[in-house]
Amino acid sequence: MIKIRLKRFGRKKQPSYRIITIDSRKKRDGKAIEEVGFYNPLTKQGKFNIELINKRLKHGAQMTTKVSYLINKIQTKD
């Protein structure tokens, strides 16, 4: 099963996240299949490649609840 989820990077107490597609059995910071966006919770900025996300969803990928919340929040903001 392919998941679309967050991958943490950044310094201690200054997190940033990449939104990636990855096999669900791999660990959180494992090697990603592809990157489809990023999110910075400190500045509340995010950038998502909606085309790649929709492509992966059509092929059976599942989003985590946090990623789906972030995408919906950014899309309604625009």
Side-chain angles (χ1 to χ4, degrees):
M1 171 71 61
I2 300 292
K3 290 265 190 178
I4 300 173
R5 65 182 184 199
L6 297 173
K7 178 179 182 177
R8 189 180 195 276
F9 71 103
R11 293 190 337 207
K12 181 175 156 183
K13 306 229 184 215
Q14 292 183 344
S16 292
Y17 296 95
R18 290 186 177 137
I19 292 133
I20 60 168
T21 58
I22 192 168
D23 186 9
S24 63
R25 296 170 288 187
K26 302 255 180 164
K27 56 186 177 177
R28 178 192 72 185
D29 294 334
K31 186 175 180 186
I33 297 170
E34 66 183 342
E35 291 183 16
V36 294
F38 78 92
Y39 176 66
N40 186 347
L42 300 176
T43 61
K44 306 288 191 238
Q45 289 181 323
K47 185 172 183 178
F48 307 103
N49 190 335
I50 301 298
E51 294 171 4
L52 282 177
I53 292 171
N54 288 334
K55 177 185 160 190
R56 286 292 177 178
L57 290 173
K58 286 180 186 176
H59 290 286
Q62 291 185 343
M63 285 193 281
T64 59
T65 54
K66 186 67 174 177
V67 171
S68 63
Y69 170 77
L70 289 173
I71 290 172
N72 289 334
K73 183 177 169 185
I74 295 295
Q75 283 182 343
T76 57
K77 186 178 174 183
D78 291 340

